[in-house]
Amino acid sequence: MARLIVKSEGFNNQVIDLHLGVNRVGRSPDNDFQIEHSTISARHCELVLGSDHITVRDCESTNGPFVGGQAVREATLVAGQTLCLGDVELFVESTEVNIAIPKFEIDRPAPPVVLTDGGLVCPRHSGARVTHQCTQCREILCDQCVHHLRRRGGKTFKFCPLCSGKVELIGGEKKKKKSLLGLLQKTVKLPFLHTRQIDRE
């Protein structure tokens, strides 16, 4: 973290750890960082911490900020420099910024219960057996979990409720059994009705 250390006597190397954005420094306790000294104004200056630098801005102080012995209204500070506020010296130890990215924990369902016959119990519906699996996120699902979309005159599409991926029946789709009449119609060239008419003649 960006840090300045008060090097003047009587401050016991007071540390100023800057936060991102504007940091107000002065003699008044209303500032972000209070430095009690007669040569420092009530609101002396602002130390603005950006992503990779510190900028000092004078706040109409009586004994304005000095960088490298020169009075400044606004200046960029680098590590190793000395900033003087009145008769108080501050050493710029670091200008680095540590940005913490928060971690978000995603609740995951408990692992499925395995039945004695090798089947699985749905993690979301305790009384239902797992029948489907998503081809995208590989989540296992019961019939209650699956979202069905039926097109008029067409087949039913199945979707995962978690990622909207395609869902397939575990073990593959069962083929429909062909009826005896349908089988005969494919194997016999003449339809039954026409055959009966020939027999009557």
Side-chain angles (χ1 to χ4, degrees):
M1 181 58 74
R3 173 177 292 179
L4 286 81
I5 300 173
V6 182
K7 288 295 186 180
S8 295
E9 290 184 13
F11 289 95
N12 298 318
N13 289 328
Q14 178 184 339
V15 174
I16 297 176
D17 285 321
L18 302 179
H19 54 76
L20 276 172
V22 178
N23 300 263
R24 293 177 178 87
V25 181
R27 194 175 67 251
S28 170
D30 295 333
N31 293 287
D32 297 301
F33 299 99
Q34 182 184 18
I35 301 177
E36 294 187 69
H37 195 272
S38 59
T39 60
I40 291 183
S41 299
R43 183 176 174 185
H44 201 97
C45 68
E46 293 178 345
L47 298 172
V48 184
L49 178 60
S51 58
D52 57 356
H53 65 278
I54 301 171
T55 302
V56 58
R57 292 178 187 157
D58 187 21
C59 294
E60 303 296 331
S61 62
T62 305
N63 303 305
F66 290 80
V67 177
Q70 297 292 321
V72 295
R73 297 284 298 163
E74 184 172 322
T76 300
L77 302 175
V78 296
Q81 279 186 318
T82 297
L83 169 67
C84 292
L85 306 180
D87 292 337
V88 179
E89 288 188 2
L90 293 89
F91 175 73
V92 182
E93 184 179 81
S94 172
T95 59
E96 294 179 359
V97 180
N98 295 329
I99 300 173
I101 300 172
K103 292 183 179 180
F104 296 95
E105 294 294 332
I106 300 173
D107 292 334
R108 295 184 177 273
V113 177
V114 181
L115 301 171
T116 54
D117 62 356
L120 300 174
V121 175
C122 178
R124 282 162 294 278
H125 301 97
S126 58
R129 180 184 287 262
V130 169
T131 54
H132 294 77
Q133 186 171 26
C134 177
T135 58
Q136 188 167 307
C137 69
R138 310 306 298 171
E139 185 67 22
I140 53 174
L141 311 159
C142 68
D143 287 326
Q144 297 176 58
C145 294
V146 177
H147 288 177
H148 297 81
L149 177 64
R150 185 178 181 86
R151 295 178 64 183
R152 183 179 293 178
K155 66 177 183 176
T156 301
F157 293 93
K158 299 175 182 178
F159 297 99
C160 174
L162 303 179
C163 71
S164 299
K166 183 182 175 185
V167 170
E168 291 183 347
L169 190 68
I170 294 175
E173 297 288 340
K174 294 180 181 178
K175 292 183 179 179
K176 293 182 180 178
K177 292 183 179 179
K178 295 180 180 178
S179 64
L180 180 60
L181 180 61
L183 183 63
L184 288 173
Q185 283 180 341
K186 285 190 175 181
T187 55
V188 179
K189 293 182 180 178
L190 297 173
F192 286 118
L193 182 60
H194 186 62
T195 306
R196 288 178 185 173
Q197 289 176 353
I198 293 173
D199 290 341
R200 288 176 183 173
E201 292 174 358

